[in-house]
Amino acid sequence: MFCHQCEQTERSNGVAGCTTDRGNCGKDAPTSDLQDLLLHAVEGVAQYASAARQLGQADPQANRFILHAVFSTLTNVNFDADRFLPLIHEAAAIRNRLRDAVAAESRRLGTTVQPLTGPAAFVPAADRAGMLEQAKTVGVRAGRETVGDDVIGLRALILFGLKGVCAYAYHAQVLGHESDEIHAGIEQTLVFLAGGPTDIEALLEQSMQLGRLNLTVMQTLDAANTETFGTPEPTVVRMTPIRGHAILASGHDLKDLAALLEATAGQGINVYTHGELLPANAYPKLKAWPHLAGNYGGAWQDQRAEFANFPGPIVMTSNCIVRPHSTYSDRIFTLGAVGWPGVRHLEHGDFAPVVAAARALPGFTTDVPAETVTIGFARDSVLGVADQVVAAVKTGAIRHFFLVGGCDGAAPGRNYFTEFAEAVPQDSVVMTLGCGKYRFNRHAFGSIGGIPRLLDLGQCNDAYSAIVIASALAKAFDCGINALPLSLVVSWFEQKAVAVLLTLLALGVRNIRLGPTLPAFLTPNLIGVLVERFGIQPITDPAADIAASLQRQAA
Ligand code: SF4
C-alpha cells in the first residue's frame, strides 16, 4: 500500500506516506489497495458518463454512484476491504451500461465513437486476489518514475480535493439537492485525472477549478441543510448527559440524525450528538425534537475513550470512525459509506437494532451537572447583526477577526490551535468551524458590545458561511476579503479540508496559516508555488502568528 492522503500519514520512514501493512489510521493494505482500484474504476465510469452527458444523456445512477464510491475512500470512512469488491464490480457494470448507451446513441445519430481507453477499458479481476494484483499498477504514485514528484503531488492535490467535494456533494444529494453542474464538474475532474495529466500549469488550473466547484457544492449543501432543517440559530447546547437510555450519533450526516430522531421519538431514549454533529443542535427542525438531549464528547480522535464510557449504542453516520475498542464493538453501528469489518451496518432507516441496544443498556443513571456551549452562528445569525459588527469594527471595539477552524486530530502540535484561540486579544473575535473547535469551545471568551467573542459557524462545510460573512463584510467596508481585518488559521486532517482550502485559494484568499503540518503529498516545489501565489504559511508560534497577523493589518 501507499497512502499519503491525510495529515496523519507516516513521516518517519524517509518517504512521507503509509507504506507498511497498515496505515496510521488503522486502514489495512488490502483496503487501501482496493480503494485505489475503485478510484481507477470510477475514473472509467466518469469517462463514459461524460461522453453520455455530451450526447444529452446524463446518468443519475452513475452520478450518485460516483459520489458514494469516492466518498468511501476518504480517510476514516470505510475500513472494510470486502465492501470494496462489490463496489468495483458495480463500477464496471455501470461503465459497461454507459458504454453501450453511448454506442447506441451514436449509431442513432449516425456517428461513430471510438472505444475510450485508459480506466474506461478496465476489466476487474474475478476475485479479491486478482484485484489486489491489479491495484499494484494504479495507486497514487503510478508513473512517478516517468512524470516526477511534482506532477504526482498535483494529481494527488486534485484527487484528494475531489474526495472532499464528493463527500459534501453526497451529503447534499441524500437531502435531494444535486445539480448537473456539480455532477458534470466531478466527472470532468475524474476524466482529467484519467488522462494522466503532466502539465504543471494545467494541473494548477484544474485544482483552482475544483476549488470553484467546491464552492458550488458547499453552497448546495448549505441550501440542502437549511431548506430541510431550517436556518441555524444561536443555541445553548448541553454538553453533559441526563438520566435515561441513550444513543450517540457521530459523523456529519444531518439526514441520518433526523431519521434516528424520528425512529426514537416517544420511546424514552435520549439522542446525543458527537463530533461534527454538534452543529445539528442549532437547526430548528432538529432541535425541536425533545429527545435530542445535547452533545456528548468531543472530536473524533477521542472516540475510543468516549465511546467506551457511553452507556448506549453509537451510530456512525460518516467519518470519522476509528478501530472500535472491544468494550463497545458490539454496540457501534455504521451507516451509508461508513464501514469497519465486523461492525453491524444498518440499512438506511432501519434503526431497530439500535433502539433494541439502547433499551438493553442502562443509559445514564444520574443527571450530570449542566455544562453548555453556545453554537449556531452560521451566516444568517452573524449577518443578522451585521450593522452592529460593522459599527464595532469602525469604532475600534472589534480590532480583528481570526477564523480558527478545520479538522482536529491527535498530533501533539495541534495544541497550537488551543493556545492560539485562547491568546487572541480581548478586542478581537474568534470564528470557528469543524471539529477543531473542541480544543477551545468551552473556554470563556466573553463578548464585545453584546457580540460573542467566539462564533461557532458549524461543521467544516460551513466554511461556506465564513465565505458569505467575509464577502458581506468586504462589501460593507468596500474592500476585498484580503483587506479585511481577518486572518485564517486552518487546521487540516483529511480531504474535505483540502477541498475547502482549494476553494479559499480559488477565491483569491491569501496568507492562510496552515497546520499542524503541511500536506505530505506536496513537494517543496509545490509548496513554493503555494507560498508565492497565495502567501500560504505554515503555523509557527501562536503569539508570534497573532502578532504577525495584527501587524500585517496595521501595515
Ligand atoms: Fe495513512 Fe492517512 Fe492514508 Fe490512513 S488515510 S493510510 S493514516 S495517509
Side-chain angles (χ1 to χ4, degrees):
M1 70 178 279
F2 181 86
C3 183
H4 58 169
Q5 67 180 3
C6 82
E7 198 275 334
Q8 194 175 254
T9 198
E10 185 59 46
R11 296 170 195 255
S12 66
N13 54 8
V15 182
C18 294
T19 57
T20 57
D21 58 353
R22 192 176 291 276
N24 288 341
C25 59
K27 182 167 72 171
D28 64 16
T31 304
S32 181
D33 293 347
L34 291 171
Q35 288 180 349
D36 287 345
L37 193 64
L38 174 61
L39 289 168
H40 182 71
V42 167
E43 287 178 0
V45 173
Q47 284 177 277
Y48 273 110
S50 179
R53 185 179 296 280
Q54 286 165 25
L55 292 170
Q57 296 189 344
D59 192 281
Q61 185 198 10
N63 294 340
R64 292 169 192 174
F65 174 79
I66 289 171
L67 300 188
H68 176 87
V70 177
F71 183 21
S72 298
T73 70
L74 193 108
T75 293
N76 288 349
V77 171
N78 196 336
F79 294 80
D80 190 346
D82 287 344
R83 291 264 297 276
F84 289 94
L85 304 175
L87 282 173
I88 292 166
H89 284 300
E90 188 177 351
I94 293 172
R95 186 272 324 274
N96 290 348
R97 180 176 57 71
L98 289 167
R99 181 193 60 204
D100 295 346
V102 166
E105 181 64 4
S106 301
R107 276 195 302 275
R108 191 184 71 77
L109 294 172
T111 59
T112 52
V113 282
Q114 296 299 320
L116 298 175
T117 58
F122 166 69
V123 178
D127 60 13
R128 174 179 165 131
M131 287 190 194
L132 288 173
E133 198 58 33
Q134 289 177 317
K136 289 178 180 171
T137 59
V138 298
V140 286
R141 293 205 302 174
R144 173 172 172 260
E145 302 75 16
T146 312
V147 300
D149 285 336
D150 290 343
V151 166
I152 294 295
L154 282 174
R155 288 180 187 171
L157 177 66
I158 295 166
L159 176 64
F160 300 159
L162 183 69
K163 292 189 182 196
V165 170
C166 287
Y168 289 145
Y170 174 88
H171 289 302
Q173 180 256 309
V174 296
L175 287 170
H177 286 245
E178 56 190 323
S179 71
D180 278 345
E181 180 189 359
I182 290 172
H183 291 301
I186 289 169
E187 278 168 15
Q188 185 275 332
T189 309
L190 286 162
V191 171
F192 177 82
L193 290 172
T198 56
D199 182 87
I200 294 288
E201 283 305 322
L203 283 154
L204 285 167
E205 173 47 34
Q206 185 69 40
S207 66
M208 292 300 98
Q209 197 171 314
L210 185 61
R212 291 188 286 274
L213 176 66
N214 188 53
L215 179 63
T216 302
V217 172
M218 287 198 297
Q219 185 179 29
T220 303
L221 180 52
D222 178 282
N225 289 338
T226 55
E227 288 176 23
T228 309
F229 303 113
T231 302
E233 51 197 25
T235 303
V236 176
V237 180
R238 188 179 175 110
M239 302 291 280
T240 46
I242 56 176
R243 200 158 72 90
H245 291 298
I247 296 173
L248 189 59
S250 190
H252 300 71
D253 199 292
L254 298 186
K255 186 183 180 196
D256 286 338
L257 175 63
L260 176 62
L261 287 165
E262 194 173 339
T264 50
Q267 302 203 39
I269 298 170
N270 293 316
V271 174
Y272 296 84
T273 58
H274 177 266
E276 275 282 69
L277 276 179
L278 165 62
N281 291 278
Y283 285 86
K285 289 186 182 171
L286 292 174
K287 71 180 192 177
W289 292 102
H291 61 306
L292 180 58
N295 189 79
Y296 178 90
W300 66 274
Q301 74 276 2
D302 296 327
Q303 69 184 251
R304 295 191 91 215
E306 291 170 352
F307 291 1
N309 288 326
F310 188 82
I314 303 124
V315 178
M316 295 300 301
T317 68
S318 74
N319 56 307
C320 298
I321 188 171
V322 303
R323 181 170 60 84
H325 192 272
S326 58
T327 50
Y328 63 86
S329 57
D330 62 346
R331 55 183 168 90
I332 184 170
F333 300 83
T334 58
L335 277 170
V338 192
W340 191 281
V343 166
R344 279 176 286 177
H345 189 71
L346 301 168
E347 292 306 317
H348 278 287
D350 179 15
F351 291 104
V354 183
V355 171
R359 288 195 180 290
L361 288 159
F364 291 100
T365 52
T366 55
D367 291 344
V368 177
E371 289 177 25
T372 61
V373 298
T374 303
I375 64 166
F377 294 97
R379 55 184 166 81
D380 280 13
S381 300
V382 176
L383 295 182
V385 292
D387 290 349
Q388 212 180 323
V389 172
V390 169
V393 174
K394 285 184 174 166
T395 61
I398 293 178
R399 181 184 181 191
H400 204 83
F401 296 90
F402 291 91
L403 176 70
V404 188
C407 337
D408 206 357
R414 288 181 183 272
N415 286 339
Y416 168 95
F417 297 100
T418 316
E419 292 166 18
F420 190 105
E422 294 180 1
V424 162
Q426 290 298 315
D427 59 1
S428 298
V429 170
V430 177
M431 296 192 289
T432 190
L433 50 83
C435 62
K437 69 169 73 95
Y438 283 108
R439 289 189 173 265
F440 49 80
N441 69 346
R442 294 199 194 199
H443 180 80
F445 281 89
S447 61
I448 301 174
I451 301 165
R453 280 192 61 240
L454 178 68
L455 299 173
D456 181 350
L457 275 56
Q459 293 184 341
C460 55
N461 57 289
D462 291 309
Y464 176 71
S465 267
I467 291 166
V468 171
I469 293 166
S471 301
L473 287 177
K475 195 173 171 191
F477 288 104
D478 194 22
C479 66
I481 288 178
N482 290 317
L484 286 172
L486 168 67
S487 301
L488 281 74
V489 188
V490 175
S491 57
W492 86 281
F493 175 72
E494 39 86 330
Q495 298 80 58
K496 285 184 280 184
V498 177
V500 172
L501 180 65
L502 290 177
T503 298
L504 294 172
L505 299 183
L507 288 169
V509 178
R510 292 183 56 81
N511 303 313
I512 297 169
R513 284 190 164 75
L514 187 62
T517 60
L518 297 181
F521 53 84
L522 295 178
T523 63
N525 282 343
L526 297 176
I527 288 170
V529 169
L530 294 181
V531 171
E532 181 196 324
R533 296 192 185 182
F534 304 105
I536 280 192
Q537 304 163 58
I539 59 170
T540 60
D541 167 74
D545 288 351
I546 289 171
S549 298
L550 296 174
Q551 198 173 14
R552 186 175 61 78
Q553 184 202 345

